[in-house]
Amino acid sequence: MSQALAVPQEHDRFPYSPIVDRPPLHLPNGARVAVWVIPNVEHFYFDRPSSSLISSTTNLAPDVLNYAWRDYGVRVGIWRLMEVMQKYGVKGTVALNSDATQHYPRIIEAGTQLGWEWMGHGKTNSILLPQHSPEEERKHIFSVVETITKSTGKAPRGWLGPALSESLHTLDYLAEAGIQYVADWVNDEQPYPMRVKTGQMLSVPYALELNDFGAFLVHGQSGEGFARTIIDQFDTLYEDGAKTGRVMAIALHPFLIGHPHRSKHFAQALAHITSRKDVWMTTGGEIADWYNKTVLNR
């Protein structure tokens, strides 16, 4: 059970930094925009509600209708997404529930063959970090890191909290566990360092609006409309990037984008992005490495 903690009116993780006052950011090889794509590979418990398409059954246990709809992502959707991304030479940075490594090892095998990066995403999306006590949360994070390391052969370097959730302690526990960058803070178009008690932490830009979950389930966008949003976002960042480099994240859920009527439009968006010069198609870890070495000199 979580313990009530006094939340301060102001955080102390980073100072305010207007992008117009920063020195120009020079991406590798003269790129204007760094684009990273984040498929979310998640596991959900059968005995409780979660993300839903139809609300009329969410009060049922089990909610077979919505559970099966989510389960489509790991059975079918992820494989279509892999094909689309591979066609355009795009490597994924997977936000990975550690439970998924046990339930869907075939996905881990295929993603590893494609050279995808594995980023911690909690144990399951049925549990959020603030639901734990501080002691439980620390154990949870270390367990996730250990499980992903054993299952993929590499320790995860990045982290995305389930539902982008954090407690007051999360960043400190992540740094202690060896996590080097976090994607929970969707407040910038460039990376920036964060204060932690020990070690180092970097925020790498993620996306709420360039995210298929919000686009389809909250705003009711079509696959074509979401692709248009991706293209519009990229085109503007490409122009802005002529002055100072920008980072663009595309957040995806296979149980949404993996459906045929959506994936075909996502493919068109990737075709548009990858057809342009001066674009760095990359991963979260590569962005962190570049920023730490060239900007922070560490």
Side-chain angles (χ1 to χ4, degrees), residues 75-178:
R75 296 171 64 88
V76 180
I78 185 63
W79 308 105
R80 182 170 289 116
L81 181 57
M82 284 181 173
E83 289 181 2
V84 170
M85 292 174 62
Q86 185 179 20
K87 179 179 179 180
Y88 294 99
V90 179
K91 292 183 179 180
T93 305
V94 177
L96 180 67
N97 286 163
S98 62
D99 273 2
T101 68
Q102 312 302 311
H103 291 276
Y104 321 118
R106 185 69 179 85
I107 295 176
I108 306 304
E109 176 187 348
T112 299
Q113 290 176 348
L114 291 171
W116 284 15
E117 179 182 343
W118 306 103
M119 178 170 62
H121 190 40
K123 178 178 172 64
T124 166
N125 262 44
S126 296
I127 300 175
L128 306 184
L129 295 181
Q131 294 173 327
H132 292 299
S133 70
E135 295 78 12
E136 291 171 337
E137 181 186 6
R138 184 179 180 277
K139 291 180 181 179
H140 180 110
I141 288 172
F142 273 77
S143 175
V144 168
V145 170
E146 180 181 8
T147 299
I148 292 177
T149 301
K150 289 181 177 179
S151 300
T152 68
K154 292 183 179 180
R157 303 177 56 199
W159 182 274
L160 179 74
L164 282 68
S165 62
E166 290 186 3
S167 75
L168 295 176
H169 306 285
T170 302
L171 293 173
D172 298 319
Y173 295 154
L174 290 174
E176 185 184 355

Side-chain angles (χ1 to χ4, degrees), residues 105-288:
R106 185 69 179 85
I107 295 176
I108 306 304
E109 176 187 348
T112 299
Q113 290 176 348
L114 291 171
W116 284 15
E117 179 182 343
W118 306 103
M119 178 170 62
H121 190 40
K123 178 178 172 64
T124 166
N125 262 44
S126 296
I127 300 175
L128 306 184
L129 295 181
Q131 294 173 327
H132 292 299
S133 70
E135 295 78 12
E136 291 171 337
E137 181 186 6
R138 184 179 180 277
K139 291 180 181 179
H140 180 110
I141 288 172
F142 273 77
S143 175
V144 168
V145 170
E146 180 181 8
T147 299
I148 292 177
T149 301
K150 289 181 177 179
S151 300
T152 68
K154 292 183 179 180
R157 303 177 56 199
W159 182 274
L160 179 74
L164 282 68
S165 62
E166 290 186 3
S167 75
L168 295 176
H169 306 285
T170 302
L171 293 173
D172 298 319
Y173 295 154
L174 290 174
E176 185 184 355
I179 296 296
Q180 301 167 11
Y181 72 91
V182 66
D184 294 334
W185 295 73
V186 292
N187 57 356
D188 216 308
E189 293 173 359
Q190 295 178 342
Y192 60 85
M194 309 183 84
R195 299 188 186 103
V196 288
K197 290 182 178 179
T198 60
Q200 301 170 345
M201 184 61 64
L202 194 69
S203 175
V204 174
Y206 188 66
L208 280 188
E209 298 201 45
L210 221 63
N211 187 315
D212 62 354
F213 191 94
F216 299 140
L217 298 184
V218 179
H219 301 296
Q221 280 190 329
S222 65
E224 184 177 12
F226 183 55
R228 184 71 255 172
T229 300
I230 293 173
I231 291 171
D232 288 346
Q233 179 92 346
F234 171 78
D235 286 347
T236 300
L237 290 179
Y238 190 82
E239 294 302 318
D240 292 343
K243 298 179 180 178
T244 182
R246 307 286 173 139
V247 175
M248 173 174 160
I250 305 174
L252 304 171
H253 298 75
F255 60 83
L256 293 169
I257 201 68
H259 283 276
H261 65 282
R262 297 186 181 117
S263 64
K264 61 179 289 186
H265 297 292
F266 176 61
Q268 293 167 0
L270 285 188
H272 176 83
I273 292 171
T274 57
S275 70
R276 302 296 294 270
K277 297 180 180 179
D278 302 328
V279 178
W280 182 25
M281 302 301 300
T282 188
T283 64
E286 290 174 346
I287 293 171

